[in-house]
Amino acid sequence: MGIHWHRRDLRTSDNLSLARAAESGDPVVPLFVFDPTILEHATPPRVACLREAVGALREWYLDLGSDLLVEYGEPSDVLPRVAAAYDADAVYWNEDYSGLAGERDRAVTAALEDEGFVCKTAHDAIHHEPGSITPNSGDHYSIFSYFWKKWRDRDKREPVDPPEPTDLAAVPSADDEVSTDSESIEGIPSLSDLGFEEPDATLPTVTPSAARERVSSFCSGPIYEYEGTRDYPATGGTSRLSVHLKWGTIGVRELFEATQRAADRASSTTDRESVESFQRQLAWREFYAHVLSYNPGTVAENFSQFDREIQWRDDPDELEAWRNGGTGYPIVDAGMRQLVDDGWMHNRVRMLVASFLTKDLLIDWREGYDWFRRKLADHDTANDVGGWQWAGSTGTDAQPYFRVFNPMKQGREYDPDAEYIRAYVPELEAATPDRIHGWHELSGTERERVAPSYPAPIVDHAERRERAIATFKRAKGTE
C-alpha cells in the first residue's frame, strides 16, 4: 500500500504526488488530515472553502469505489498510525513552503521514518521548485523582472493524469452510504466541530469542477482582454482563480497549458501579449513562494533592512475605520467592504488599500496582513506577505517609499463611473462619479446633502503622504 496525504492539493487530476503514488504499483490510500495546529491559524472563510473542497474530493474517490480517509489530529501522530494500519510501504505528499508547513512536515517525516516508513515528496504547487531559478550568486531572486525572464523561458511540465480505479485501495468506508449534501458530508467535520462559525462572506464554489469551468470560461475570451481590463475592478476582467490555486482545486500545469492553448488560438499580437500578461501573474505567485521558502521569517519581519526602525503609528480608531470601510476615501472603503462581503478583493484595490494603511495611516503592514489573513478565502502566506511588504516598501522589489498611491486619483482612473464603488458603498449610490471622486474636496454641507451617512475623509492625503515619506527617509537614514 501507499498513502497519499492530501493537503493543499484537493484534486486528483494534475496532482504530481498522487500520480507518483499511483505509478508505484501499490494500491493508494488517499488521506486528508484536519490539523489542529494549522487550524489555529485558519479563519471561517478559509475553513468553509477547505471543507467544500475536501467534500468534493471525497465524492470523486467514492465514485471510483475507494474513499478519502478524513482524520483529525496532529499529522505526526495520524500518518504513522494510518500507514501502520494499511501496512504501507511509503507515504507521499506535495511540498508546501511556509514556515508553519515546514515545521509540520519535518515532524511528520521524523515520525514516519522512526517507524520505518519511506517519505516521498513532490513539488506540485509551483512549476519550478525553490532553488531552481537563481541568480549567479545567492539562493533566490529578490527582483521579479529577473526571475520572470528565466521563469518565462523554462519548459513547463505537462499535466499528469488522475489515478485509475485500479490504482486505488478499497478503503473500508467506501461501502458505507454517504450523504453528499454540501452542508453535511458524512465523515467530514462541520465548521462548528472544527471550532468555527459560519463565515459572513458569500464565498465562491471551491471544487475541481468549478475551477475547470472558471479556467475554460476565462481562457475562451476574457484572457485576451486581461491586459487592458485587469486593473478595473468593475469589469470583472480578472480570472478569479486565486482561491482555486490556494486550495489546489486546479493544478498549475493544467492551468498553464490552458493559457498556452489560448495563446495558440490568439488572433493578434495584442491577444498573445494579454495571455502573457496573465502568465506573468502566475510567475509573481511563484516568485513569492521562492522568496518565502528561503525567508520564512518575513511573515513577521521586514524583508528589507533599514538603518533605523520604521516609526509605525498605533492608532486603533484609524485602523478600525480602515477595517470597516469607513475612511471617507470611496475606493478604499469599497475594497475593504468587498473583502468582508466576498472573502476576496480585486488586486488593484488590494494595492490601494494596502498603500492607504501603510502610508496614509502609517500603520504597520503586519496589521493589514493579519486582517487579510482573517478575511480572505484565497489567503496564501507567500502571496499576501509579498504583497503587503511590496505595498509597505519593506519587501522584495518593493514599491519605492516615495511613491504613494493617491486614492482619489486611482478611483478616477480605474473606476471612472464609480460602478465598483457604488456596488460596495451603498451610501454613495445616488452620488455622481464627480461627487464620489471629489469627495475629499466637498464641503461638510455638500457631503451632508449628497450622502449624509457616508463619512468625511479621516485624514488629509497630501499631508499624510509627506509624513510617510519623511518617516521612511528617517528609517533609511537619508534624512
Side-chain angles (χ1 to χ4, degrees):
M1 292 283 187
I3 308 294
H4 173 71
W5 176 23
H6 283 280
R7 294 112 68 82
R8 283 179 48 189
D9 57 332
L10 301 177
R11 66 187 186 283
T12 55
S13 293
D14 192 26
N15 187 319
L16 283 181
S17 174
L18 180 60
R20 289 174 183 176
E23 289 168 359
S24 72
D26 293 325
V28 179
V29 177
L31 170 69
F32 181 83
V33 181
F34 283 97
D35 179 348
T37 301
I38 298 293
L39 288 171
E40 286 177 8
H41 298 266
T43 58
R46 281 185 281 136
V47 178
C49 291
L50 170 62
R51 283 193 69 255
E52 181 174 46
V54 171
L57 182 65
R58 186 171 187 225
E59 289 171 18
W60 189 92
Y61 282 117
L62 287 165
D63 287 344
L64 267 67
S66 183
D67 199 356
L68 174 70
L69 293 181
V70 179
E71 298 274 349
Y72 178 92
E74 291 293 340
S76 57
D77 295 330
V78 173
L79 268 293
R81 173 170 55 79
V82 172
Y86 284 89
D87 195 21
D89 295 312
V91 179
Y92 299 77
W93 69 81
N94 289 309
E95 295 278 3
D96 206 342
Y97 305 107
S98 72
L100 186 62
E103 291 176 10
R104 173 198 60 197
D105 293 353
R106 286 189 291 273
V108 169
T109 299
L112 285 168
E113 290 180 345
D114 282 349
E115 298 297 325
F117 299 109
V118 176
C119 302
K120 297 186 178 183
T121 65
H123 291 278
D124 171 80
I126 55 180
H127 290 281
H128 309 293
E129 65 185 83
S132 64
I133 298 180
T134 60
N136 292 332
S137 61
D139 46 28
H140 67 89
Y141 279 105
S142 59
I143 297 177
F144 172 73
S145 58
Y146 300 147
F147 178 89
W148 159 245
K149 289 176 183 177
K150 288 189 177 180
W151 187 95
R152 178 186 56 195
D153 295 338
R154 291 283 176 91
D155 290 337
K156 305 292 184 286
R157 182 171 180 158
E158 293 182 355
V160 295
D161 293 329
E164 298 290 336
T166 52
D167 296 324
L168 302 172
V171 179
S173 59
D175 295 329
D176 296 342
E177 183 176 346
V178 176
S179 167
T180 57
D181 178 72
S182 61
E183 294 300 316
S184 178
I185 303 170
E186 186 175 331
I188 297 178
S190 67
L191 279 170
S192 59
D193 289 338
L194 295 169
F196 295 89
E197 298 178 350
E198 289 291 332
D200 296 326
T202 302
L203 301 173
T205 299
V206 185
T207 64
S209 60
R212 281 212 174 98
E213 289 174 11
R214 189 69 197 171
V215 171
S216 177
S217 174
F218 180 66
C219 289
S220 66
I223 196 170
Y224 301 120
E225 305 294 329
Y226 180 78
E227 176 61 20
T229 61
R230 66 188 182 92
D231 282 324
Y232 296 85
T235 65
T238 60
S239 71
R240 297 297 293 264
L241 286 166
S242 56
V243 73
H244 295 290
L245 289 169
K246 156 68 181 179
W247 295 112
T249 48
I250 192 72
V252 294
R253 292 155 298 278
E254 184 175 349
L255 173 56
F256 188 80
E257 184 178 72
T259 68
Q260 287 294 85
R261 290 197 300 269
D264 293 341
R265 295 191 303 268
S267 58
S268 68
T269 300
T270 300
D271 285 355
R272 282 190 292 276
E273 288 174 347
S274 188
V275 174
E276 186 173 274
S277 178
F278 178 72
Q279 292 175 338
R280 185 180 173 93
Q281 299 307 307
L282 299 179
W284 267 109
R285 174 179 176 271
E286 198 152 314
F287 170 72
Y288 282 140
H290 283 221
V291 172
L292 183 67
S293 177
Y294 283 101
N295 304 275
T298 56
V299 173
E301 301 171 359
N302 294 334
F303 180 89
S304 297
Q305 299 299 312
F306 294 86
D307 291 343
R308 306 171 192 165
E309 289 292 322
I310 300 171
Q311 296 302 304
W312 301 111
R313 295 174 59 252
D314 180 15
D315 192 316
D317 291 338
E318 289 185 0
L319 177 61
E320 196 65 16
W322 177 82
R323 285 175 174 171
N324 294 334
T327 68
Y329 283 89
I331 197 163
V332 172
D333 294 340
M336 297 307 296
R337 297 184 193 189
Q338 182 182 37
L339 174 64
V340 173
D341 290 352
D342 299 349
W344 183 82
M345 190 192 299
H346 186 276
N347 188 58
R348 164 61 58 173
V349 186
R350 292 191 196 203
M351 292 190 290
L352 297 181
V353 304
S355 176
F356 190 86
L357 182 75
T358 58
K359 304 297 174 58
D360 289 67
L361 304 186
L362 207 59
I363 290 175
D364 196 326
W365 64 266
R366 283 159 280 226
E367 292 282 2
Y369 168 78
D370 181 66
W371 188 246
F372 271 37
R373 181 189 63 80
R374 289 195 241 170
K375 297 299 180 181
L376 284 173
D378 66 0
H379 166 69
D380 177 279
T381 301
N383 282 347
D384 285 347
V385 167
W388 271 99
Q389 293 226 39
W390 180 90
S393 301
T394 64
T396 58
D397 211 5
Q399 173 87 325
Y401 69 86
F402 48 82
R403 291 182 185 166
V404 180
F405 282 120
N406 182 321
M408 306 309 293
K409 182 179 179 182
Q410 292 280 314
R412 282 195 186 91
E413 185 169 355
Y414 295 109
D415 190 29
D417 297 326
E419 184 180 350
Y420 171 77
I421 290 169
R422 284 188 290 224
Y424 290 98
V425 186
E427 304 98 302
L428 296 172
E429 200 169 34
T432 65
D434 284 344
R435 294 291 193 186
I436 291 172
H437 297 312
W439 186 253
H440 62 303
E441 297 173 336
L442 301 182
S443 67
T445 301
E446 288 176 302
R447 292 193 191 108
E448 182 67 24
R449 180 171 55 81
V450 172
S453 59
Y454 185 66
I458 62 172
V459 297
D460 181 290
H461 169 71
E463 292 178 358
R464 291 300 183 94
R465 175 185 177 276
E466 294 303 317
R467 183 185 64 180
I469 291 173
T471 299
F472 274 83
K473 277 185 177 179
R474 286 194 294 274
K476 291 279 187 181
T478 57
E479 182 181 277

